[in-house]
Amino acid sequence: MTFSLEQQNMKELRVELTRFMMAYKFALDEIGTKVSILREEFRLIHEYNPIEHVTTRIKSPESILKKMRKKDIPLTLEGIRENMRDIAGIRITCSFVSDIYIISEMIQAQSDIEVIEVKDYIQHPKPNGYQSLHVILKIPVYMSDREEHVYVEMQIRTIAMDFWASLEHKIYYKYNKQVPEQLTNELREAAFTAAELDRKMERLNKEINILKEIAHEEQEDLPIIDTASSQKVFQIMKKIAIDKLK
């Protein structure tokens, strides 16, 4: 049985499309492993876990085509690869705002990752009140016959920010993106309320840590109980001190 030229071309196209989408999956696997290692290191060594949740996603072919038409992106794999940097995405949810920057710095500092762009919507919120840290990374992916560097969009936000963004997204789709002005204003106000909650929780966390440090220092400075064994130790120490003075 022989294949026609058209069938051969279709087979090659299918292989290329499969490889194209697989590269994004493997890139997410790579960044996911890096985040898991950081998470475990914090838990075992620092006895603190700044990462609450991690989710990943790859845009569907339908979403990719829709964005291509909207952004007038060339209908080629190379055009998609270079002009769409959010096909693969990872979202990290943290406890506190300070954790966001700690995680971001640690990921960006890794030698095999290339940082393409950083958008800080925490310091500079979007007009609708949205707050999050977005980082575009290039992740190396080693295939059987090639090495590819794949764009991955990393979003890092707090629990409060994530809660707001999730509900805002649902509301916009419910109204087919035509949200009444009153609701838009209330959503913006809710975003700033969530940010204020983050600041308050950050302050409380710092105060608790300070109190823990003070309690730990006081525990170390507790007087030794006056027992027969402690008296014996004091006598030995006294004798050593007197002998040194002779």
Side-chain angles (χ1 to χ4, degrees):
M1 182 178 179
T2 57
F3 289 97
S4 67
L5 182 60
E6 184 179 353
Q7 287 175 317
Q8 185 65 30
N9 289 340
M10 285 298 294
K11 183 181 178 182
E12 291 175 2
L13 179 60
R14 260 198 314 272
V15 170
E16 281 303 306
L17 285 171
T18 302
R19 282 182 175 274
F20 180 79
M21 295 308 295
M22 280 172 59
Y24 288 99
K25 179 189 179 300
F26 295 152
L28 284 180
D29 290 342
E30 287 286 337
I31 190 69
T33 300
K34 291 176 181 296
V35 172
S36 294
I37 290 170
L38 288 177
R39 194 177 191 176
E40 189 70 4
E41 180 189 353
F42 266 97
R43 188 181 69 81
L44 294 174
I45 297 177
H46 304 290
E47 297 182 351
Y48 170 69
N49 182 14
I51 300 172
E52 292 288 339
H53 304 289
V54 179
T55 56
T56 59
R57 65 105 183 96
I58 296 178
K59 277 186 181 294
S60 66
E62 292 79 13
S63 296
I64 293 173
L65 286 171
K66 186 177 179 181
K67 187 165 185 177
M68 287 174 65
R69 295 191 190 102
K70 184 179 179 182
K71 301 288 185 179
D72 198 24
I73 295 170
L75 191 60
T76 63
L77 293 182
E78 190 59 31
I80 298 169
R81 185 181 287 111
E82 288 304 315
N83 292 284
M84 293 185 65
R85 299 179 174 184
D86 62 345
I87 291 176
I90 181 168
R91 182 177 299 153
I92 303 170
T93 308
C94 296
S95 305
F96 305 102
V97 173
S98 57
D99 293 336
I100 292 174
Y101 294 103
I102 291 170
I103 295 299
S104 175
E105 287 175 9
M106 287 183 170
I107 293 293
Q108 292 185 50
Q110 300 203 14
S111 59
D112 59 340
I113 288 179
E114 182 183 353
V115 180
I116 304 299
E117 185 179 21
V118 178
K119 291 183 179 179
D120 192 339
Y121 296 118
I122 300 170
Q123 297 297 322
H124 307 284
K126 286 188 175 183
N128 66 347
Y130 175 80
Q131 298 188 37
S132 183
L133 185 69
H134 290 199
V135 185
I136 303 295
L137 307 168
K138 253 190 176 180
I139 309 295
V141 174
Y142 300 95
M143 312 285 276
S144 61
D145 61 345
R146 71 184 81 175
E147 175 186 343
E148 293 194 20
H149 292 261
V150 182
Y151 289 113
V152 172
E153 181 187 52
M154 181 173 68
Q155 298 180 1
I156 318 177
R157 58 180 70 152
T158 63
I159 300 168
M161 293 174 186
D162 190 58
F163 173 72
W164 178 89
S166 177
L167 291 185
E168 192 259 3
H169 182 75
K170 288 178 181 177
I171 289 170
Y172 263 72
Y173 270 84
K174 184 177 180 180
Y175 283 92
N176 197 25
K177 299 187 179 182
Q178 300 298 320
V179 181
E181 185 178 355
Q182 181 186 348
L183 279 180
T184 301
N185 293 335
E186 289 187 18
L187 280 169
R188 187 185 302 111
E189 185 179 335
F192 292 124
T193 301
E196 179 56 35
L197 175 62
D198 276 332
R199 286 190 288 270
K200 184 174 289 187
M201 296 307 292
E202 186 97 44
R203 285 196 302 270
L204 286 171
N205 184 56
K206 287 179 180 177
E207 288 176 12
I208 290 168
N209 287 335
I210 290 170
L211 290 173
K212 282 171 67 177
E213 287 178 11
I214 292 171
H216 181 69
E217 289 173 2
E218 288 178 348
Q219 187 70 27
E220 290 182 340
D221 293 338
L222 284 176
I224 298 174
I225 300 172
D226 191 12
T227 62
S229 59
S230 64
Q231 284 295 328
K232 189 174 181 180
V233 171
F234 283 135
Q235 287 172 7
I236 294 170
M237 291 173 67
K238 184 178 179 181
K239 185 177 183 304
I240 293 170
I242 291 171
D243 289 340
K244 284 187 176 181
L245 289 173
K246 288 180 180 179

